[in-house]
Amino acid sequence: MSFDEDRPAPRKRPVTVPRRRSPLGLAIGVMAVLAVLTVALANVWTEAAWYDQVGYFAVWRTEWVARIALFAIGAVVAGVAVWGSLRWAKSARPALTASRNTPLDQYREQIRPIERVVTLVLPAVVGLIAGGAVSARWDQVLAFMNRTAFGYTDPQFNLDASFYVFTLPVLRLVVGFVLAIAILSTVLAAFVHLLYGGISGGGRVFVASKGARTQLGILGFIVMLAIAGNYVLDRFSLVLNQGDRFAGASYTDVNAILPARSILAGIAVLVAVMFLLVIWRGDWRIPATGVGLMALSAIVIGGVYPAIVQNFQVDPNAQEYEAPYIQRDIDATLHAYGLDGVEVNQYQARTEANADALRADADTTAQIRLLDPNVVAPTFQQLQQNKQYYSFPENLTVDRYRINDEVRDTVIAVRQLNLDGLSAENRSWVNDTTVFTHGFGVVAAYGNKVTSDGRPQFYQSGIPSTGELGDYEPRIYFGDSVPAYSIVGAPEGTAPWELDFPDDDAGGQVNNTYQGDGGPVIGNLFAKMMYALKFGEQQILFSDRVTNESQILYYRDPIERVSRVAPYLKLDSTTYPAVVDGRVVWVVDGYTSTPDFPYAATVTSADLFANTDTLNPAVLNYIRNSVKATVDAYDGSVTLYAWDPEDPILQTWQKVFPSTLVPYSEMTSDLMSHMRYPEDLFSVQRYQLTRYHVADAADFYSGQDFWANPVDPTEETQLQPPYYLTLQMPGQDVPAFSLTSTFIPGGNSDRQVLTGFVAVNSETGHKAGVKDPDYGKFRLLELPRDATVSGPGQVQNQFRSDPEAQNVLNLLRQGETDVINGNLLTLPVGGGLLYVQPVYVRSSQGTQFPLLQKVFVSFGDQVGFADTLSGALDQIFGSGSTVDPTDPVQPTDPAQPTDPTQPVDPDVSAARAALRTALADAQQALTDGQAALADGDFAAYGEAQDALAEALGRAARAEADLDAATDPGANAGSTPTPAPTPTPTPSASPASV
């Protein structure tokens, strides 16, 4: 093909008269653009106002400055590169001869009218896409710029772990960006050269002009250098591999793939030079040969050779060859998940009980939690909801509080606002936004106590809130079950209109005016307009209740608030309330994590029982509970405490967002006492312990001692969750609030025996700013390999197979009641493993809420089943083995004299005899009722209940007479309180005595 120096004269085109544009269409277009810009402005302004009010404006500003800067850099570089490539290709096109009406000529004619537009629009589109992709990696770039060393060196390249966590992702971003833009520019340039004659020919021979050779040669050089860079970075990525048996670089990776990638990187650089040679030599066979050589090398050196090493050298001797690399994986994984300090004890669990077995563990058995927080939520709802517009969460919280100088395990919940409880006629914008603005108070019950009919024994309840927690601010404006936004506050002197709490004495309700600082002020017209656009509600503009003193509360979920002010944290899937220093606060656990820690094994959300969708990314191999956050339930204030200040990822983000974290040393003693070990973190760690409790590389390779987390025997669609319990592990001096879990054999075995039990100390301490030194300590009990101690599934089967227990439960199921199994707890007491499971009874019709009626216990092969925990334990360990705090009757017999050497007053003797007789009659009535229920004789059961009530009444009167006789002034002016009379019902088990 020949080229002329002169281009043909352009064809004359007919003159076109521009059409007049419609003023209406122009106006509509302008209005549409203004509307979009106004909505965008409203969203940006309200976001800035929220961050400013909550005190974290610098976080929002830093993030968006970084996003905008990276977007601009990515967009400009990509757009200019593509535009420059197009301009270069167009300017280098040769002069064309007279048209021969070829297909290319036709394409050129079709493209010519839009050529200028394409030259501008295509780079702009590429720039927008590239800028968005780079902008989305703002967090990686800022972390890289402020990186902190881990102090942990990988054993292969002797690089600090910070290189893999902070530097390598940014290097990959840069190399990948350059490679993508270079390839796109090459393709576009080749197309332009082909279209305008810079490249011609067909089959195996083609000719390129000098300009085409120069541009394509340079672009090819850049592409090959980027490929070489990828090979170099791939070398370091080998330590991040996740193999079938272990993580990190294996023997084959280090001895075959690593040198292969070095060789391939060198070949890519050589091929890059070949692309430059084509500029002068004009022979495309040189780089083509180089590309072919590189492809062949990638197959042979990068694929075939490693396969030969693996199959013929490593596999026959894998245990020996892989041992040092497995040890690297074990060491790195234990460090990455904070498991390198686990205290492992061989536990010779006994399976036979004796009368004295529990005495050494009396403190633990006295704190056994019988209230299942995942079962009793409907009971809280029925007994403490108070009004239909209040609600409790489906899963309650286990915490501990100091009551009467004793720390007690507690099940606690916040009474939050639930507008769905209102009838349709009571729903309006005014009610939803300005009247029903907050919940009210907390409800707390002893974890190990119930009333005689199985209800939780509340020590904080009611509206207004009363109980053992003292005075605190009960209004709940922020929580996970509140309206999307509320408008609160009013000018001084205005009659309050926010519903505070219902009160018959106050005409039906007490109103209140919000006095906190929980949201941006919305008093002026501009602010009203912005929020009206944000929430799509015109009433904000026109309502008289939006005054100069009004605040708008939004982003009210504690997890959402923390995630916005600390975007670098991965948050626990649950938050819990605590009454601290006269306030209700929500505690949120924050994690720093990464999927790029060298040699550490990854964990994914699918591996865990808990909902860890908030642990984003879903794949990680390093995690620390670095931040404890609190959100005030009244004013929404967020405080971020640096809980693990030594964590290098947290230190990095402290450089990015300075002055946003508070040292945990500033925690008050009350707040410190309510911190706990987070459940999601424990779920991740216990999963890794199923394999990484094996410390020997050879044993790890065989996998014969791997464990598994058992399936929840009460909910077989998920793994058994960890449980918060107060217990004393072997090696501990006193019981401690702990998070516990069990292990069973791994693999495909159906043998569900217990192989291990782990507890992490969740007791943070009671001193201001001082963590308990034992907090976070893991204690792992390994059972002998040849032991046969029942696992949770086997114990649940024991309970279901116990004939006496099932006779009673089957009778209950035949009535209008359902039987619900509570959490199956495991405790190392009595030298063995004790299982405890509360059993609840719930009406199957009408008002439904579960009541604790029975307790299962298991020790070895023995099963206890009784109305109370102490009764069930006595069946296994013998009478008087322990004291159950759920029993209403005290352990000492008031019918017996306190000092038999002293003379007894006749009145005292008579009162004691009457009390003894009444208690004996009550016990007999209870026994008769149990027998009648087992026989299905509901008439006899009712008679026994009447006799029980009568005997309890006599016992109460006898006790009052005894008190009066022993201390005549003690009961002056008082009347004896009658004992509660149980309601006869054939569908509930008899009341406990």
Side-chain angles (χ1 to χ4, degrees), residues 811 926-942 944:
L811 287 173
L926 185 63
T927 303
D928 294 342
Q930 191 82 342
L933 186 64
D935 295 337
D937 189 347
F938 296 127
Y941 175 76

Side-chain angles (χ1 to χ4, degrees), residues 475-776:
R475 298 170 182 87
I476 310 298
Y477 282 89
F478 293 85
D480 54 13
S481 178
V482 290
Y485 72 97
S486 292
I487 296 177
V488 298
E492 186 175 353
T494 304
W497 56 65
E498 296 176 42
L499 172 64
D500 207 16
F501 58 86
D503 187 354
D504 293 335
D505 295 335
Q509 69 184 50
V510 173
N511 291 332
N512 176 65
T513 297
Y514 184 70
Q515 300 298 323
D517 182 18
V521 176
I522 193 177
N524 61 70
L525 179 61
F526 179 76
K528 292 180 182 179
M529 182 180 301
M530 293 295 97
Y531 283 106
L533 289 172
K534 177 178 179 62
F535 293 107
E537 180 51 69
Q538 62 181 358
Q539 300 287 359
I540 295 176
L541 280 172
F542 304 114
S543 175
D544 292 337
R545 292 196 172 183
V546 184
T547 69
N548 292 333
E549 302 297 325
S550 294
Q551 300 175 44
I552 184 166
L553 312 182
Y554 57 105
Y555 299 149
R556 302 167 75 177
D557 187 314
I559 291 180
E560 182 179 16
R561 291 179 79 82
V562 175
S563 68
R564 286 178 173 275
V565 303
Y568 54 91
L569 291 177
K570 320 306 175 186
L571 301 182
D572 200 271
S573 58
T574 60
T575 180
Y576 63 94
V579 180
V580 174
D581 300 319
R583 311 280 286 193
V584 178
V585 298
W586 297 96
V587 180
V588 182
D589 284 290
Y591 307 110
T592 45
S593 65
T594 179
D596 297 322
F597 195 84
Y599 273 101
T602 60
V603 65
T604 67
S605 300
D607 297 322
L608 310 174
F609 91 95
N611 174 20
T612 55
D613 291 341
T614 53
L615 288 177
N616 184 28
V619 178
L620 57 89
N621 69 353
Y622 173 95
I623 187 170
R624 290 289 187 272
N625 179 208
S626 53
V627 172
K628 299 279 191 183
T630 62
V631 178
D632 192 290
Y634 183 73
D635 63 19
S637 57
V638 180
T639 306
L640 305 174
Y641 293 96
W643 188 249
D644 186 358
E646 302 302 318
D647 174 51
I649 298 181
L650 183 65
Q651 292 176 356
T652 295
W653 286 107
Q654 282 183 297
K655 297 175 186 177
V656 177
F657 301 120
S659 304
T660 58
L661 291 168
V662 177
Y664 76 81
S665 59
E666 296 187 15
M667 283 186 176
T668 65
S669 59
D670 202 6
L671 178 58
M672 180 65 75
S673 67
H674 290 289
M675 295 294 106
R676 69 183 190 183
Y677 203 85
E679 191 171 336
D680 279 358
L681 174 59
F682 183 74
S683 297
V684 170
Q685 292 170 316
R686 73 166 186 174
Y687 170 78
Q688 294 295 14
L689 277 177
T690 59
R691 295 197 304 162
Y692 289 92
H693 69 279
V694 180
D696 181 77
D699 293 343
F700 189 96
Y701 182 85
S702 68
Q704 57 85 23
D705 197 29
F706 285 174
W707 297 342
N709 299 127
V711 172
D712 189 350
T714 64
E715 185 65 42
E716 296 182 356
T717 59
Q718 65 179 22
L719 296 181
Q720 187 179 37
Y723 295 124
Y724 287 102
L725 296 170
T726 293
L727 53 80
Q728 184 172 347
M729 290 285 285
Q732 281 185 294
D733 297 329
V734 294
F737 189 64
S738 304
L739 192 55
T740 67
S741 185
T742 57
F743 299 99
I744 60 175
N748 298 321
S749 173
D750 294 329
R751 190 168 178 260
Q752 301 292 302
V753 298
L754 199 69
T755 57
F757 177 87
V758 66
V760 60
N761 192 318
S762 187
E763 188 58 64
T764 48
H766 303 274
K767 295 181 180 180
V770 178
K771 263 192 274 189
D772 189 304
D774 207 35
Y775 170 79

Side-chain angles (χ1 to χ4, degrees), residues 774-837:
D774 207 35
Y775 170 79
K777 177 71 174 181
F778 272 79
R779 292 178 172 88
L780 176 63
L781 304 182
E782 289 190 351
L783 277 67
R785 272 63 173 176
D786 57 351
T788 305
V789 177
S790 298
Q794 292 179 331
V795 170
Q796 189 69 65
N797 184 66
Q798 285 179 318
F799 293 162
R800 292 171 179 166
S801 304
D802 187 78
E804 295 183 6
Q806 293 306 317
N807 283 339
V808 175
L809 296 179
N810 287 335
L811 287 173
L812 295 176
R813 294 187 183 99
Q814 290 173 5
E816 295 180 354
T817 55
D818 297 324
V819 175
I820 302 172
N821 292 322
N823 41 211
L824 181 58
L825 307 178
T826 310
L827 302 96
V829 297
L833 276 304
L834 175 70
Y835 289 92
V836 178
Q837 183 175 56

Side-chain angles (χ1 to χ4, degrees), residues 367-377 379-380 383 396-399 409-412 443-451 454-459 723-725 821-825 836-840 850-855 869 886:
Q367 285 278 18
I368 293 176
R369 177 176 52 78
L370 294 179
L371 282 190
D372 185 342
N374 298 327
V375 172
V376 298
T379 307
F380 273 56
L383 301 181
L396 308 185
T397 297
V398 177
D399 203 346
D409 283 6
T410 295
V411 176
I412 190 170
V443 175
Y446 295 104
N448 62 342
K449 282 187 177 183
V450 294
T451 63
R455 302 183 183 209
Q457 187 165 330
F458 299 106
Y459 66 78
Y723 295 124
Y724 287 102
L725 296 170
N821 292 322
N823 41 211
L824 181 58
L825 307 178
V836 178
Q837 183 175 56
V839 178
Y840 297 85
L851 299 174
L852 177 62
Q853 296 296 321
K854 295 288 184 180
V855 179
L869 176 59
T886 63

